[in-house]
Amino acid sequence: MTPCPSPEQLSTIRQGYDPDPSKSYSLRAEAYTDECWFNLESSAIFKHSWQWVCHAEKLRDAESYVAADIAGQPILILRDKKAVLRAFYNVCQHRAHQLLSGEGRTTKIMCPYHAWTYDLSGQLQHAPETGNLKNFDIADICLEPVQVEEFCGFVYVNLDPRATPLAETSGNLGDEIRHWAPDIQDLTFARRLTYEINSNWKNVVDNFLECYHCPVAHKDFCTLVDMDTYRVTTHGIYSSHMAEAGKSANTAYSVEQATVKDHAVWWLWPNTCLMRYPGRGNFIVMNIIPAGPDKTLETYDFFLETPEPNAAEIESIKYIDEVLQVEDIALLESIQRGMSTPAFTQGRIVYDPMGSGKSEHAVHHFHGLVLDAYTRAVSP
């Protein structure tokens, strides 16, 4: 059986890409439409990269836990009785039933199917009716561990047991976030917005990584920030997107009482977007979740100084939900329709060597990482 994708398909998908963004084309359309590449991304990208889970406040106390679906896998993250952060596949070692759901506090992990019970280190403690089994020792059975890390106020997991720690592989990202958001540990969850987008997840990332479209598609946003100060810098597995707030009244939302004067945004490979908008102390996490070659789930989590937004924050959340996201989703779904036609193969990367926000060099950087992942998977 011919593998999918084949080395020949890999050669084709790399066509047009050049390490020099001033010479390069974008990813080819089939990377956004072909189920073959989507399936490869699940195994080659999402099961080997650090995935955002939640703010650390949810797992701050001993015996707290969060159950989540990460890269299509059921994962359980918790603090044990000694406050050690741990993560496991949320799968009982008896018949693979899910162990815990939602979030909360627990002193033990008991399977709701046959009551096999584990301690918070993942070790099996009790298995009913197994006293007569031969060659059976509960000390030999424990939950399958998963790499977990607290990074800049948030919890991430990686399904690859050999993955390099996020704090190490992310270079200076932690220092940047702590510089621009020194209050990040003290913020608290306030709101979540959810979206279902009929477009490939990479289109969502592409759109986030450039503001070339902003003067045309996001006229209100261009009054919120000073586009002349917008600069984008690419790093190993992340990019930084910085701009000063606009100096005059804007049409997005009021920033009259703002203590945060800058627009500081980061993209972390492959699908996490971290944002700090002008206003009161805040941090926003946009999580991009692939759901099919032409479907993406997206969450916006708002972390603020208080659990309830103030009037200005309600206005800003409404702007993001009812204006900015509406504009972007219409763009993304139109792009996906266009990529599914024979009229489009790939387009040129628009590049400004000065790093303007209107340049697409961060998109080019992302495409290079995608192609590198494809190559490692197809030609290991």
Side-chain angles (χ1 to χ4, degrees):
M1 181 180 294
T2 303
C4 179
S6 66
E8 291 75 20
Q9 287 174 297
L10 175 64
S11 178
T12 298
I13 206 72
R14 294 193 66 94
Q15 289 178 5
Y17 177 84
D18 191 287
D20 182 348
S22 69
K23 299 178 181 178
S24 187
Y25 283 80
S26 66
L27 280 176
R28 293 170 61 89
E30 55 263 41
Y32 298 83
T33 60
D34 193 328
E35 190 168 3
C36 180
W37 294 109
F38 178 81
N39 291 338
L40 180 69
E41 289 161 0
S42 175
S43 59
I45 294 178
F46 288 93
K47 291 181 181 177
H48 296 277
S49 57
W50 287 96
Q51 296 291 304
W52 179 84
V53 179
C54 63
H55 194 284
E57 68 176 349
K58 286 189 177 182
L59 293 161
R60 195 161 280 158
D61 299 326
E63 301 179 349
S64 57
Y65 77 89
V66 171
D69 185 87
I70 304 295
Q73 303 295 306
I75 304 298
L76 174 62
I77 309 98
L78 57 80
R79 290 272 182 193
D80 68 15
K81 293 179 183 295
K82 295 182 179 180
V84 176
L85 185 64
R86 298 180 184 272
F88 309 96
Y89 282 92
N90 194 10
V91 175
C92 182
Q93 297 299 290
H94 175 227
R95 287 288 184 268
H97 196 282
Q98 179 174 313
L99 295 163
L100 297 178
S101 59
E103 58 189 66
R105 301 286 294 273
T106 188
T107 59
K108 60 186 177 181
I109 306 167
M110 187 174 76
C111 180
Y113 194 13
H114 297 102
W116 280 35
T117 305
Y118 306 80
D119 66 20
L120 299 187
S121 72
Q123 177 64 52
L124 182 64
Q125 296 293 307
H126 179 61
E129 312 303 329
T130 57
N132 295 322
L133 298 185
K134 296 179 180 179
N135 303 319
F136 179 83
D137 185 348
I138 62 173
D140 295 334
I141 300 174
C142 59
L143 300 179
E144 185 70 21
V146 171
Q147 284 214 69
V148 62
E149 186 171 340
E150 184 175 340
F151 178 76
C152 288
F154 294 97
V155 175
Y156 295 79
V157 298
N158 195 315
L159 303 184
D160 182 353
R162 297 169 295 181
T164 303
L166 179 57
E168 180 180 336
T169 193
S170 60
N172 292 326
L173 176 59
D175 291 337
E176 286 189 29
I177 292 174
R178 284 184 288 267
H179 172 78
W180 293 103
D183 56 352
I184 194 166
Q185 296 279 359
D186 301 322
L187 300 176
T188 188
F189 175 76
R191 287 288 188 278
R192 167 171 280 194
L193 303 176
T194 61
Y195 307 94
E196 184 174 299
I197 305 170
N198 295 318
S199 193
N200 185 273
W201 72 276
K202 296 186 297 300
N203 276 327
V204 182
V205 175
D206 288 349
N207 183 71
F208 180 85
L209 290 176
E210 50 90 357
C211 220
Y212 184 38
H213 69 285
C214 292
V216 179
H218 301 315
K219 296 186 185 300
D220 296 311
F221 178 81
C222 290
T223 68
L224 178 65
V225 304
D226 182 351
M227 291 299 295
D228 290 337
T229 66
Y230 204 125
R231 291 294 178 271
V232 178
T233 309
T234 61
H235 310 273
I237 62 165
Y238 77 98
S239 54
S240 308
H241 307 247
M242 305 294 179
E244 297 175 7
K247 301 298 190 295
S248 57
N250 71 80
T251 57
Y253 61 87
S254 174
V255 292
E256 289 181 5
Q257 305 298 320
T259 55
V260 176
K261 303 292 187 181
D262 297 289
H263 174 73
V265 170
W266 300 268
W267 165 78
L268 174 62
W269 165 261
N271 60 323
T272 305
C273 304
L274 309 167
M275 297 171 272
R276 186 157 166 105
Y277 270 46
R280 195 167 63 146
N282 71 92
F283 209 80
I284 307 167
V285 180
M286 185 174 87
N287 196 28
I288 300 167
I289 306 165
D294 59 356
K295 190 172 295 294
T296 300
L297 305 179
E298 185 180 83
T299 59
Y300 262 78
D301 284 299
F302 294 80
F303 301 91
L304 306 174
E305 293 181 11
T306 56
E308 287 300 320
N310 64 22
E313 289 162 344
I314 290 172
E315 185 184 354
S316 68
I317 293 170
K318 184 177 180 180
Y319 162 70
I320 291 173
D321 185 33
E322 298 182 7
V323 179
L324 191 63
Q325 279 295 94
V326 171
E327 293 167 344
D328 272 334
I329 290 172
L331 296 172
L332 293 166
E333 294 186 343
S334 176
I335 291 165
Q336 189 69 29
R337 290 192 295 271
M339 287 183 169
S340 300
T341 72
F344 181 82
T345 301
Q346 61 190 149
R348 280 298 294 264
I349 292 293
V350 174
Y351 174 58
D352 173 10
M354 299 302 293
S356 162
K358 297 177 185 178
S359 173
E360 295 178 318
H361 59 286
V363 178
H364 174 265
H365 171 242
F366 168 54
H367 292 179
L369 293 174
V370 170
L371 290 172
D372 286 347
Y374 288 172
T375 301
R376 286 193 299 270
V378 178
S379 304

